[in-house]
Amino acid sequence: MSDPTLLSARGLNLRFGAVPALVDVDADLWPGEVLAIVGESGSGKTTLLNVLSGRMAPQSGVVWYREPAGGLVDVHAMPAPALRALHRSDWGFVHQNPRDSLRMGVSAGGNVGERLMAQGSRHYGSIRESAIAWLSEVEIDASRVDDLPRTFSGGMLQRLQIARTLVTHPRLVFMDEPTGGLDVSVQARLLDLIRGLVARLGIAAVLVTHDLAVARLLAHRVMVMQQGCVVESGLTDQVLDDPQHPYTQLLVSSVLAA
Amino acid sequence: MNGYNFAYLDEQTKRMIRRALLKAVAIPGHQIPFGSREMPLPYGWGTGGIQVTAAVLGPDDVLKVIDQGADDTTNAVSIRRFFARTAGVATKTHTSVATIIQTRHRIPEQALTEGQILVYQVPMPDPLAKLEPSRAETTRMHGLAEYGLMHVKLYEDITRFGHVSISYDYPVMVNDRYLMSPSPIPAYDNPKLSRNPALQLFGAGREKRIYAIPPHTEVRSLDFDDHPFRTTRAPHACDLCGDDASYLDEVVTDNQGGRMFVCSDTDHCASRQALKEAAE
Amino acid sequence: MAYVAVKGGERAIDNAHAWLDSDRRGDPAVAEIGVDQIREQLGRSVDRVMAEGSLYDRDLAALAIKQAQGDLIEAAFLLRAFRTTLPRFAASTPVETAAMRIRRRISAVFKDMPGGQILGPTYDYTHRLLDFTLAAGHTPAPALREAAEQAVAPRIHDILGHEGLIEPDVASDAEPFDITREPLAFPAGRDARLQSLARGDEGFLLAMGYSTQRGWGGTHPFVGEIRVGEVLVEIVPPELGFAIEIGEITLTECQMVNQFAGSRTVPPQFTRGYGLVFGHGDRRAMAMALVDRSLRASELGEAATAPAQIPEFVISHCDNIEATGFVEHLKLPHYVDFQSELETIRRMRRDVEAALLQEAAE
């Protein structure tokens, strides 16, 4: 753990009126590592994801990101163009609802190719080739490349969103309940796919989920949140097999009971 | 005309427009918001072009006004009369003698020269508007040069039709920085935008934007390396002057599918006919 | 050759104008309408044209109505095109509607209040039966209106404000935005929004306001107060340093009281929607007040999902002068663009036909 972190947050605070969303939250993420943020709805986990990714500003605290060249940048002090550039190249964001990110009126190939074109690719043939290659990475048949997403199933849409996000080989991906709203069998296949891709490509990820099974399958480390506070964090197996905090114990036991 | 300033607009307003024009020239292709005034012609009928022309027009200028390439279409006549009435300037139809040419939907066939100003009437100045309706969002996209979405549109066209299906108002990159609408000129005219020795000014009255291409500025029509930009015109020669390279209008001549093709640029066509007659 | 070049646009325009002039006059056997008759007898048309033309001048509005053959959008356009040529001498101080000389004043939230309820000249309780005595010519009996015209009444919102039940009305000395001089950018301030609504198309405002009542962004409105009457307009000439009266205008003001449960950032209280328009126009002022409140959704922490809650959508499309120009410009020749579309379609069809032929051959 002496390696430099990829993303670090210190002393994050954010309140919505009287409601605390983040209370003195610290977080660290190392290159190639998957960190799960777990908790019930309203625990502040999605807010934390938004603050870590620069989509929402904290009232106090700082988020550092280490650029490929090694320098640290303060995510919330970055000029908007630099942050947006980061979001469409080095970073990726996978939404719970793929319709929030996909262009439903644009073909699957166009959806996957958009980030390449935004980065300056100007060869139709090679953009299309990359799109087809990425569709097969996420187990979508190459013959669907010209189809509109509205003809896709829920699981396919989520895989398409993942292809669209990973096409630029990001170093860091933020995922908000990526398997939420899917059938259990579809979930399992998707989790398998994500686990394989993340491991093979060495991508670091911050994953928000209310589902401890998802955290156990994908994450190296876990942070447990309750009412805006991080109540426990550590290696996934350690936290889930031997929870110390009463709230974590409750979460773990309710999963077992279910 | 009694009771109105030279070229209708008051001098304060002209100064405001000139400031916007200077900015526009300094940042080629970038849309400059300006305090567009209500004009005595309807929005969408050339109010932006008229305001720009009024702001750059002097008493010694020679004005030409065309619509669809023609000097004699009703709206061109109407705008030419407006300036003849409010500014008393000389109006001509010859492209070569005009110092200012206000146009809707065409660039004249005859090459323009240094010192001439071409003023375009623009209905929708933002090429991104067709893809993203929010002006707040497209402004951000221009600011950050985020033009991936525009290329997605071209990608989709090629995927569906085998080529880009935009035939007019074909989007261009100006000076490698700003994505720009050339106004609804046919794509055939796009190559003339680039490195043109004349100053090209664009006015969108209703949308309250001004932009410009300074002389000799590089303008590139969007395309892919393996699907380069190409132009189309009706594959005929003009039935009046015989030109087989000019942009043509198709004219229906009877109810049996009879057609003839004539130059859309009336001055160009008339000059060629006069030359032909002189030679005979 | 069958083709005759389309020359003579100039003559065609002259002929069209001459025809229009005689069409406007109608049957010469019928007496010509006077601008004074329009001003006096078509007052509500005059009010609407002044509002949408954003120029308060009853005579010019009447002239514009006559010139436009009663086409009110065309008439408003004439006023706007005239207004834009006028020099600007000064900005008035804010008009004091609390000191309005009231002709009409109603509240739907209190049965009675200081100053009382005054119906004034309203169509509200008329039965909508065609009055054939009007067709025959009819001189009405004199109306009792002295009492009403003397009344000065405090604003209902000031009464509610004492209890802190309604959000405070924040005064500002800042120079307001001027939509007639500066290009609007989004997000726009409430000053720019209110100006746009005040001269927006009455039909559009009405439809937007109506949509909020039908669930597309509800605001739970109550009419706190509608008042119609005359207010003084004052300016402060810099060389004098004190306010002088320059005239009197008729305004309709509508204050909506909107129920509001509070949000993450704002405690529960009543909120305001505001409408203020030239002339006598309940419908216009009320619709404006509904839309104003609806456009404050984001500011108050409400989800902005309905059309009437999206400022860029409402403000960009409420101006009927802009709208009518752009819709009607489709009448202008587009044959250059259409020609390029023809060639593109022909090429696409050739490509498809060639592909089909090849498929058939294989």
Side-chain angles (χ1 to χ4, degrees):
Chain A
M1 293 270 176
S2 58
D3 291 346
T5 57
L6 186 64
L7 190 75
S8 290
R10 289 293 177 272
L12 298 180
N13 281 286
L14 182 58
R15 300 177 77 82
F16 298 117
V19 184
L22 298 177
V23 182
D24 289 328
V25 172
D26 296 346
D28 288 297
L29 180 74
W30 278 269
E33 178 194 45
V34 178
L35 169 68
I37 306 170
V38 301
E40 295 165 304
S41 69
S43 62
K45 58 187 192 302
T46 297
T47 302
L48 178 58
L49 189 75
N50 286 331
V51 169
L52 289 178
S53 59
R55 290 154 54 97
M56 189 185 276
Q59 278 148 353
S60 65
V62 64
V63 179
W64 297 103
Y65 170 67
R66 190 172 304 278
E67 292 187 311
L72 281 177
V73 286
D74 177 345
V75 169
H76 292 281
M78 282 173 94
L83 184 62
R84 280 179 66 134
L86 198 57
H87 264 287
R88 59 170 196 257
S89 56
D90 235 12
W91 288 6
F93 204 107
V94 175
H95 299 261
Q96 172 172 6
N97 184 350
R99 289 173 182 82
D100 290 347
S101 133
L102 294 171
R103 297 188 188 279
M104 299 306 282
V106 167
S107 69
N111 264 292
V112 178
E114 179 170 358
R115 274 166 78 109
L116 293 174
M117 288 182 256
Q119 288 190 347
S121 295
R122 292 291 176 265
H123 192 281
Y124 174 83
S126 62
I127 293 166
R128 195 173 159 80
E129 253 169 55
S130 304
I132 290 173
W134 270 99
L135 288 183
S136 69
E137 284 279 6
V138 297
E139 298 166 15
I140 294 175
D141 196 277
S143 67
R144 306 297 302 268
V145 65
D146 296 336
D147 293 349
L148 294 181
R150 63 166 173 262
T151 64
F152 287 15
S153 69
M156 280 171 79
L157 285 178
Q158 196 54 289
R159 281 180 275 136
L160 182 60
Q161 186 189 193
I162 288 167
R164 169 182 165 84
T165 308
L166 298 188
V167 65
T168 53
H169 296 277
R171 301 162 72 210
L172 171 56
V173 176
F174 299 92
M175 298 192 217
D176 187 6
E177 304 273 12
T179 58
L182 296 175
D183 293 343
V184 176
S185 60
V186 179
Q187 271 194 28
R189 183 176 169 199
L190 186 65
L191 286 172
D192 236 29
L193 180 80
I194 294 176
R195 187 167 62 167
L197 284 173
V198 167
R200 188 152 54 78
L201 301 171
I203 297 169
V206 180
L207 165 79
V208 158
T209 180
H210 69 282
D211 186 341
L212 295 189
V214 170
R216 189 187 284 280
L217 196 66
L218 293 183
H220 302 103
R221 281 189 311 119
V222 171
M223 283 168 64
V224 183
M225 291 192 71
Q226 182 190 22
Q227 291 172 7
C229 300
V230 177
V231 295
E232 186 164 359
S233 66
L235 294 173
T236 306
D237 291 342
Q238 213 167 37
V239 172
L240 297 187
D241 291 341
D242 184 18
Q244 300 300 306
H245 191 275
Y247 178 71
T248 316
Q249 290 165 354
L250 188 74
L251 278 182
V252 171
S253 65
S254 64
V255 169
L256 291 177
Chain B
M1 196 170 68
N2 254 353
Y4 288 103
N5 194 29
F6 176 79
Y8 179 77
L9 292 176
D10 60 278
E11 292 304 314
Q12 288 295 336
T13 300
K14 286 187 194 170
R15 228 169 296 173
M16 175 272 293
I17 295 172
R18 287 181 201 134
R19 276 196 297 269
L21 287 169
L22 287 176
K23 274 191 210 169
V25 168
I27 315 171
H30 175 47
Q31 300 166 51
I32 311 294
F34 80 112
S36 177
R37 298 292 190 255
E38 257 115 8
M39 299 299 285
L41 282 79
Y43 284 120
W45 299 54
T47 55
I50 293 170
Q51 289 182 76
V52 169
T53 298
V56 298
L57 191 68
D60 300 332
D61 273 310
V62 178
L63 179 69
K64 171 184 166 80
V65 182
I66 51 174
D67 188 338
Q68 314 295 303
D71 297 272
D72 54 11
T73 40
T74 41
N75 204 43
V77 169
S78 166
I79 291 171
R80 189 164 52 238
R81 274 181 159 190
F82 176 76
F83 282 114
R85 212 169 135 190
T86 59
V89 294
T91 57
K92 288 271 160 40
T93 58
H94 292 308
T95 300
S96 55
V97 300
T99 55
I100 299 173
I101 303 171
Q102 179 167 331
T103 180
R104 176 167 172 266
H105 295 192
R106 274 309 309 273
I107 298 176
E109 300 287 352
Q110 184 178 344
L112 301 177
T113 55
E114 223 151 285
Q116 286 185 304
I117 299 177
L118 185 58
V119 178
Y120 296 76
Q121 301 172 202
V122 182
M124 295 296 281
D126 197 334
L128 295 171
K130 293 186 192 101
L131 309 169
E132 165 55 60
S134 162
R135 179 50 76 90
E137 178 59 21
T138 60
T139 303
R140 201 172 301 130
M141 290 160 82
H142 282 293
L144 303 175
E146 284 184 1
Y147 296 137
L149 187 56
M150 194 76 233
H151 274 94
V152 170
K153 150 77 182 149
L154 301 191
Y155 174 97
E156 291 293 287
D157 268 12
I158 296 171
T159 300
R160 287 184 60 196
F161 310 118
H163 51 78
V164 176
S165 70
I166 308 169
S167 57
Y168 63 92
D169 205 350
Y170 192 106
V172 295
M173 281 297 283
V174 179
N175 204 25
D176 263 335
R177 173 58 182 86
Y178 282 100
L179 180 70
M180 190 195 92
S181 155
S183 86
I185 58 173
Y188 169 89
D189 280 339
N190 268 26
K192 292 180 229 166
L193 294 162
S194 189
R195 302 197 173 280
N196 197 313
L199 171 62
Q200 302 175 75
L201 304 176
F202 297 78
R206 192 181 38 79
E207 296 285 339
K208 302 172 180 58
R209 293 289 186 279
I210 280 173
Y211 53 99
I213 306 175
H216 306 292
T217 303
E218 172 91 13
V219 178
R220 215 164 28 76
S221 302
L222 291 194
D223 61 1
F224 287 103
D225 299 342
D226 48 343
H227 286 265
F229 171 79
R230 59 174 179 167
T231 61
T232 50
R233 61 182 285 282
H236 299 274
C238 170
D239 285 318
L240 297 179
C241 77
D243 195 338
D244 58 4
S246 66
Y247 193 78
L248 301 174
D249 285 340
E250 187 170 332
V251 181
V252 179
T253 52
D254 55 40
N255 284 341
Q256 283 74 51
R259 296 275 191 280
M260 69 181 287
F261 292 86
V262 296
C263 291
S264 99
D265 185 332
T266 48
D267 172 57
H268 171 77
C269 195
S271 308
R272 282 180 54 94
Q273 289 178 65
L275 271 179
K276 222 161 68 175
E277 268 166 35
E280 273 162 13
Chain C
M1 194 179 287
Y3 174 75
V4 182
V6 199
K7 292 279 177 195
E10 204 140 338
R11 205 176 56 244
I13 290 176
D14 287 337
N15 290 344
H17 290 178
W19 195 344
L20 178 66
D21 285 340
S22 91
D23 190 50
R24 177 191 299 120
R25 179 59 184 85
D27 182 352
V30 176
E32 184 176 351
I33 193 170
V35 167
D36 54 343
Q37 290 172 309
I38 296 172
R39 186 193 61 221
E40 294 303 315
Q41 298 175 37
L42 296 179
R44 300 294 169 90
S45 290
V46 168
D47 287 340
R48 177 168 177 184
V49 168
M50 291 195 304
E52 290 172 5
S54 60
L55 180 68
Y56 196 96
D57 188 316
R58 304 196 77 84
D59 290 304
L60 289 182
L63 172 61
I65 292 168
K66 176 173 179 176
Q67 188 176 332
Q69 289 180 274
D71 177 338
L72 299 189
I73 294 181
E74 183 69 29
F77 181 15
L78 287 167
L79 271 200
R80 288 263 192 106
F82 176 74
R83 176 197 199 279
T84 189
T85 64
L86 299 176
R88 163 164 315 208
F89 295 120
S92 80
T93 59
V95 294
E96 187 47 84
T97 53
M100 178 183 275
R101 198 148 47 78
I102 282 174
R103 288 202 246 165
R104 167 168 168 77
R105 191 257 196 143
I106 56 165
S107 170
V109 296
F110 293 115
K111 188 170 183 184
D112 202 5
M113 65 275 180
Q117 305 243 22
I118 300 161
L119 278 183
T122 177
Y123 284 92
D124 284 356
Y125 303 101
T126 61
H127 295 149
R128 270 62 170 197
L129 305 171
L130 279 176
D131 182 353
F132 296 104
T133 62
L134 274 179
H138 160 77
T139 309
L144 285 174
R145 53 181 170 185
E146 282 308 305
E149 288 199 353
Q150 297 307 318
V152 170
R155 281 179 299 228
I156 292 292
H157 280 56
D158 296 339
I159 300 171
L160 276 172
H162 292 314
E163 259 194 87
L165 293 178
I166 191 159
E167 59 174 335
D169 191 6
V170 187
S172 167
D173 291 327
E175 179 92 358
F177 190 87
D178 183 347
I179 59 165
T180 69
R181 300 274 151 160
E182 300 161 67
L184 205 52
F186 295 97
R190 193 169 176 212
D191 49 355
R193 293 192 329 230
L194 286 170
Q195 286 172 38
S196 301
L197 296 178
R199 64 178 202 168
D201 181 72
E202 186 165 315
F204 179 85
L205 294 178
L206 181 65
M208 281 290 125
Y210 179 47
S211 72
T212 67
Q213 290 179 286
R214 293 192 65 257
W216 297 79
T219 61
H220 308 282
F222 295 95
V223 172
E225 183 181 11
I226 295 171
R227 55 172 61 201
V228 182
E230 282 65 46
V231 297
L232 291 172
V233 180
E234 296 180 329
I235 62 168
V236 181
E239 62 273 24
L240 292 183
F242 54 85
I244 56 167
E245 288 168 20
I246 57 165
E248 193 181 68
I249 59 176
T250 303
L251 293 177
T252 304
E253 183 184 54
C254 173
Q255 297 256 17
M256 288 283 180
V257 183
N258 302 85
Q259 216 183 73
F260 182 56
S263 69
R264 277 175 167 174
T265 47
V266 184
Q269 61 181 341
F270 291 116
T271 55
R272 297 163 185 264
Y274 188 69
L276 182 71
V277 302
F278 281 163
H280 186 165
D282 288 13
R283 180 193 304 130
R284 178 178 195 83
M286 292 171 76
M288 175 176 171
L290 287 176
V291 175
D292 169 47
R293 172 59 185 80
S294 201
L295 290 180
R296 297 178 60 209
S298 296
E299 166 200 340
L300 293 167
E302 299 167 334
T305 49
Q309 294 171 318
I310 302 169
E312 187 173 345
F313 178 81
V314 173
I315 301 303
S316 301
H317 301 113
C318 69
D319 191 291
N320 56 18
I321 311 297
E322 290 177 5
T324 199
F326 200 45
V327 166
E328 294 198 51
H329 107 282
L330 294 172
K331 290 182 279 193
L332 291 178
H334 283 79
Y335 32 78
V336 163
D337 295 346
F338 189 70
Q339 188 63 42
S340 61
E341 289 282 78
L342 274 177
E343 292 307 325
T344 300
I345 293 252
R346 282 174 180 148
R347 187 171 91 186
M348 282 157 64
R349 290 175 62 90
R350 273 197 304 274
D351 291 352
V352 172
E353 278 159 18
L356 287 176
L357 273 179
Q358 198 178 353
E359 226 167 84
E362 275 163 12

